[in-house]
Amino acid sequence: MSETSEQRDLTTKKRLMEIAKVWYDQMGGGDIPSVTLPSRTKYNIEYDDKSEVWKYGDKESTRDAKSAKSAIHMLKMAYVMWFIKMQLSENRSSTLREMYYISEGWKQAAFHAQNESNYLVEDLEIITNLQRECFHMRPEEDGASMFGPIRVRENTRRGPKTIHCQDDVGEAGYNIPNNVENVELVDHDATCVIALETGGMFSRLQENGFDEEYNTVLFHLKGQPARASRRMLKRLNEELGIPVIVFTDGDPWSYRIYASVAYGSIKAAHMSELLATPSAKFIGLKPSDIQRYNLPADKLSEQDITALKSELTDPRFDTEFWKKEINLQLQMGLKSEQQAFASHGLDFVTKEYLPDMLSEAGVLKR
């Protein structure tokens, strides 16, 4: 039986107070307060055979109050803990951006940039082993949109409501809420979920009736996927057994979108078991597709080249498939977009490319 929101709030408060108690006991024993966290780089992520996701390894760093600079950092963490506890007590929520501006009133504990406050919230996630949604912290970005043969139930201001994500929504689809734990997955008739990077491809597949012809759930990631998007994909796969397929542009930044869905992101490796879908398959757009289909392409920028070389040293891309494709792209010096398939006609992607790729992935039988 899952926890109620009230029970989650109590658990969160308790874990925050446990951090404060450790500091209190350290100072009471004459020690300088400190906190130990894993090193958050690509050189400290390891594949976990049991969960089949990438997690932080054994490399750690300790933060303490030995210097004025580090003491201020600990002070900021204490302020954020107080702020979260206040939100829980008042049953209110805020965005990461709002908390950053609120910190302007904390004098010595004010943040210099939002990245600093975001990073600290992530630190607290690691220490408490809780998602930031448990802190009543909301993301700025919208969640993904979902369109296809699946029925969900969520609580609204007028009570529980069941929504069919094909029949009861418009072209924009069903908007994934910030906290997907409050959404009940009722039933489905889907063969797979296709996670799409761009809105243009999402609309193209809708207009061509791909969702109806092949009983697929179209999932618009809206670029780099938000946590709620990744969590929903994980639940669709894990709870309903629906295969997840990822279809992005053919550039290094898009490959990282797939990596965050399937392997977990370096930034949120502490949440990989909740957010990553290890069985998710990448079907394109691949560098080899640019050659195979003679697609219109652009030259790689210096930033693209640097990103591709970085991915060759990223353990998440340490497979024969990715090494072959990335090296091919560096050799060609080209990148391409999903919409480039339109050079073969507006129906090519739905009549030829996707059915072929889904068949190769073992999702469709042709």
Side-chain angles (χ1 to χ4, degrees):
M1 185 176 178
S2 59
E3 283 187 315
T4 64
S5 58
E6 291 81 7
Q7 290 171 327
R8 282 197 296 269
D9 288 353
L10 287 173
T11 298
T12 303
K13 287 180 184 178
K14 180 181 177 183
R15 294 190 187 179
L16 290 172
M17 291 304 296
E18 286 171 354
I19 300 172
K21 186 178 185 303
V22 168
W23 291 345
Y24 181 82
D25 290 342
Q26 286 173 335
M27 290 186 286
D31 297 322
I32 296 174
S34 64
V35 61
T36 301
L37 293 157
S39 176
R40 293 159 65 184
T41 71
K42 68 179 180 182
Y43 302 106
N44 190 40
I45 58 171
E46 299 175 352
Y47 184 73
D48 181 71
D49 291 317
K50 184 177 180 181
S51 60
E52 299 183 308
V53 298
W54 290 86
K55 297 181 176 180
Y56 289 128
D58 297 329
K59 296 178 183 177
E60 294 181 330
S61 61
T62 299
R63 298 173 192 173
D64 53 41
K66 288 183 179 179
S67 68
K69 182 178 179 181
S70 58
I72 289 174
H73 181 83
M74 299 288 285
L75 177 65
K76 291 177 180 179
M77 182 176 283
Y79 262 91
V80 172
M81 288 162 53
W82 163 79
F83 176 72
I84 293 170
K85 186 173 180 292
M86 181 183 68
Q87 286 203 141
L88 297 172
S89 297
E90 297 177 359
N91 194 28
R92 301 185 70 178
S93 63
S94 63
T95 65
L96 293 170
R97 188 68 174 167
E98 286 173 329
M99 189 188 77
Y100 164 65
Y101 282 121
I102 288 170
S103 79
E104 291 294 317
W106 296 350
K107 296 182 179 179
Q108 287 186 318
F111 294 106
H112 300 297
Q114 189 179 340
N115 283 344
E116 185 184 5
S117 56
N118 290 357
Y119 203 82
L120 207 154
V121 170
E122 291 164 8
D123 284 346
L124 288 174
E125 285 184 315
I126 295 172
I127 299 170
T128 62
N129 197 28
L130 294 169
Q131 300 178 70
R132 67 183 177 206
E133 288 77 10
C134 294
F135 302 156
H136 289 202
M137 300 300 302
R138 293 180 282 105
E140 298 289 344
E141 69 273 14
D142 292 334
S145 295
M146 186 165 65
F147 188 90
I150 184 168
R151 187 177 284 105
V152 300
R153 183 179 297 118
E154 65 171 284
N155 289 321
T156 70
R157 293 186 177 184
R158 297 185 179 181
K161 184 177 182 180
T162 301
I163 303 167
H164 191 279
C165 298
Q166 208 170 27
D167 300 337
D168 301 332
V169 298
E171 292 182 356
Y174 168 73
N175 194 56
I176 307 299
N178 294 328
N179 190 351
V180 300
E181 306 306 324
N182 295 329
V183 177
E184 179 185 351
L185 305 178
V186 181
D187 56 38
H188 74 95
D189 296 307
T191 56
C192 69
V193 177
I194 304 180
L196 302 155
E197 177 180 359
T198 67
M201 188 55 67
F202 180 76
S203 298
R204 168 56 50 209
L205 268 58
Q206 269 188 333
E207 184 176 311
N208 287 11
F210 194 84
D211 56 295
E212 291 185 315
E213 184 173 357
Y214 293 101
N215 289 329
T216 56
V217 175
L218 309 179
F219 200 99
H220 181 197
L221 294 171
K222 298 185 179 180
Q224 187 64 39
R227 287 190 182 197
S229 306
R230 286 179 278 157
R231 178 60 181 154
M232 180 58 84
L233 287 171
K234 170 81 169 179
R235 290 190 59 199
L236 292 172
N237 177 255
E238 195 171 69
E239 297 175 26
L240 299 182
I242 309 176
V244 173
I245 304 296
V246 181
F247 183 25
T248 70
D249 287 339
D251 61 54
W253 320 104
S254 299
Y255 308 151
R256 293 180 185 185
I257 288 176
Y258 168 70
S260 68
V261 170
Y263 309 141
S265 67
I266 296 171
K267 185 179 178 182
H270 57 290
M271 291 288 160
S272 291
E273 284 191 68
L274 288 174
L275 303 178
T277 306
S279 63
K281 296 182 179 180
F282 180 81
I283 60 170
L285 196 160
K286 304 178 289 294
S288 56
D289 290 332
I290 300 175
Q291 288 185 334
R292 181 179 179 183
Y293 298 99
N294 192 27
L295 298 176
D298 297 315
K299 289 185 178 181
L300 293 174
S301 67
E302 288 300 320
Q303 291 85 353
D304 293 330
I305 293 171
T306 300
L308 286 168
K309 290 180 177 178
S310 176
E311 287 168 358
L312 286 174
T313 64
D314 188 324
R316 297 172 300 166
F317 291 96
D318 189 17
T319 67
E320 288 306 311
F321 168 81
W322 281 112
K323 287 178 181 177
K324 181 180 178 181
E325 292 290 345
I326 291 173
N327 280 314
L328 174 62
Q329 187 153 35
L330 286 169
Q331 180 184 337
M332 293 190 303
L334 298 173
K335 60 184 178 181
S336 192
E337 300 179 353
Q338 292 179 310
Q339 281 73 20
F341 286 108
S343 63
H344 296 290
L346 292 176
D347 295 338
F348 180 80
V349 72
T350 54
K351 297 298 183 183
E352 301 291 337
Y353 182 78
L354 279 179
D356 285 347
M357 292 300 104
L358 293 177
S359 179
E360 286 184 20
V363 174
L364 296 182
K365 294 180 180 179
R366 300 190 73 187

